[in-house]
Amino acid sequence: KGKRSGRHSVLCYEPDMLGDERQRRFVERELRAALMMNELELHYQPIFSADLQIRSHEALVRWRHQVRGMISPAQFIPIAEESDLIDKLGDWVLRRVCADLENLGGKPVAINVSPMQLRHADFAGRFAATLAETDTDPRRIVVEITETVPLNAGDVELENLAALRALGVRIAIDDFGAGHASLQYLRGFAFDIIKIDRSYVVNLGASRIDGMIVSAICDIARSLPVEVVAEGVETQEQFMQLRQAGCTAFQGFLLGRPKPLARAGAAVAA
Ligand code: C2E
Ligand code: MG
Ligand code: MG
Ligand code: MG
């Protein structure tokens, strides 16, 4: 690809355009290797009840690169989603969680599942097989899905979610309100938890509208009824306002950061 630039209309290469594509392929190759070499790790962030008891944890993948240090999932998940890598990564995350579960104080763990994984008709079946094989109680697993694409009745994605739910796995809508299909999601399928996107939480003090939206989401959730988790709680004021609005669970740096298993497990045991 090229770009015409300047008044001379010279067709020239944008150096960072080339770099981006090369960079993407490089990351994909390295990530595939990292997965094979077991170089990914999971960190666990606690999710609290209104009375500040740890109720569950969210598993968040980390890539500790030998040269580049810690790489954020926001940087490599989108690349993994362009190929079968996301399926391999997802399988690895589920197995890791099943193995870690007993060290998290008998509490449930939420895992993030990409919509790409749900496109495979055998996803729920393979998920169930892994739970059975590792002797994991499905009621201790929450699957978080982000509302990126609208899901319609009869879609394979929804069938996978329904099959997981029939096993006892709970389904959470992640980043609720950040996408464009929020309300359609509410009427589209059966789920258990709404996670209010951090972008609403961050503005709570400054924006009256965001406060009203959060309250309205909590009202809808109460009458469904489903649980409402607030993401990205960073201040005491946000926490109080969210509790006031009717959120039932809270996650954020104010209450606890994502930590390696040993430290997350110790916090639950304490
Ligand atoms: P998410 O599922 O919405 O996870 C919450 C993100 O917010 C995490 O970022 C977490 O560290 C961060 N966070 C938690 N509390 C706070 C807070 O108080 N303030 C701020 N500023 N941030 C907070 P992280 O770990 O970088 O993950 C980013 C995203 O990557 C996740 O967003 C999720 O969509 C995706 N992701 C992470 N692990 C996995 C995975 O195992 N599989 C898949 N498919 N996606 C994953
Ligand atoms: Mg999540
Ligand atoms: Mg989220
Ligand atoms: Mg989020």
Side-chain angles (χ1 to χ4, degrees), residues 124-146:
R126 287 190 298 111
F127 197 103
T130 302
L131 296 185
E133 199 183 300
T134 55
D135 209 12
T136 302
D137 182 351
R139 289 169 302 183
R140 290 190 57 195
I141 303 291
V142 175
V143 161
E144 298 193 358
I145 53 151
T146 305

Side-chain angles (χ1 to χ4, degrees), residues 58 112 144 146 174-175 195-197 231 251:
E58 178 174 4
N112 292 284
E144 298 193 358
T146 305
D174 205 350
D175 305 329
K195 297 189 78 173
I196 297 181
D197 190 62
E231 298 189 312
Q251 179 179 6

Side-chain angles (χ1 to χ4, degrees), residues 18-117:
L18 234 177
D20 275 1
E21 175 56 18
R22 242 192 347 234
Q23 165 87 351
R24 201 194 57 74
R25 281 208 305 270
F26 180 72
V27 170
E28 184 185 326
R29 241 189 343 261
E30 286 215 314
L31 181 57
R32 206 173 283 278
L35 203 52
M36 258 166 48
M37 315 265 288
N38 222 357
E39 282 175 2
L40 299 185
E41 10 180 311
L42 286 185
H43 284 197
Y44 292 93
Q45 185 177 28
I47 300 173
F48 291 82
S49 57
D51 60 353
L52 296 183
Q53 303 295 309
I54 295 180
R55 287 258 295 269
S56 60
H57 291 85
E58 178 174 4
L60 296 159
V61 72
R62 298 288 180 260
W63 180 9
R64 202 185 292 277
H65 191 279
Q66 286 180 346
V67 178
R68 294 196 288 157
M70 206 65 119
I71 305 175
S72 150
Q75 285 180 271
F76 64 84
I77 294 288
I79 292 173
E81 283 177 330
E82 289 176 18
S83 71
D84 65 322
L85 248 185
I86 192 63
D87 304 303
K88 295 196 160 67
L89 189 145
D91 290 347
W92 180 86
V93 168
L94 178 61
R95 282 187 182 277
R96 188 71 256 157
V97 163
C98 290
D100 289 350
L101 211 47
E102 63 179 315
N103 294 310
L104 287 165
K107 311 221 186 279
V109 172
I111 66 177
N112 292 284
V113 167
S114 161
M116 298 301 156
Q117 295 173 260

Side-chain angles (χ1 to χ4, degrees), residues 69-242:
M70 206 65 119
I71 305 175
S72 150
Q75 285 180 271
F76 64 84
I77 294 288
I79 292 173
E81 283 177 330
E82 289 176 18
S83 71
D84 65 322
L85 248 185
I86 192 63
D87 304 303
K88 295 196 160 67
L89 189 145
D91 290 347
W92 180 86
V93 168
L94 178 61
R95 282 187 182 277
R96 188 71 256 157
V97 163
C98 290
D100 289 350
L101 211 47
E102 63 179 315
N103 294 310
L104 287 165
K107 311 221 186 279
V109 172
I111 66 177
N112 292 284
V113 167
S114 161
M116 298 301 156
Q117 295 173 260
L118 295 176
R119 286 186 182 182
H120 303 291
D122 67 344
F123 175 78
R126 287 190 298 111
F127 197 103
T130 302
L131 296 185
E133 199 183 300
T134 55
D135 209 12
T136 302
D137 182 351
R139 289 169 302 183
R140 290 190 57 195
I141 303 291
V142 175
V143 161
E144 298 193 358
I145 53 151
T146 305
E147 36 141 3
T148 43
V149 284
L151 299 181
N152 301 302
D155 285 354
V156 60
E157 288 91 342
L158 279 197
E159 278 168 16
N160 273 318
L161 291 175
L164 289 181
R165 201 153 180 267
L167 293 174
V169 171
R170 280 171 295 160
I171 310 296
I173 305 178
D174 205 350
D175 305 329
F176 186 83
H180 32 250
S182 305
L183 296 177
Q184 196 188 332
Y185 257 57
L186 290 187
R187 64 210 278 245
F189 70 99
F191 57 94
D192 307 277
I193 299 162
I194 289 173
K195 297 189 78 173
I196 297 181
D197 190 62
R198 190 158 63 82
S199 59
Y200 293 93
V201 174
V202 82
N203 281 328
L204 272 183
S207 159
R208 210 167 65 86
I209 289 285
D210 283 16
M212 287 161 59
I213 292 172
V214 169
S215 295
I217 294 172
C218 291
D219 288 346
I220 293 172
R222 237 193 324 275
S223 50
L224 278 171
V226 300
E227 186 178 338
V228 184
V229 182
E231 298 189 312
V233 184
E234 292 184 352
T235 70
Q236 188 68 34
E237 292 69 35
Q238 289 165 357
F239 173 67
M240 310 252 268
Q241 215 179 318
L242 290 161

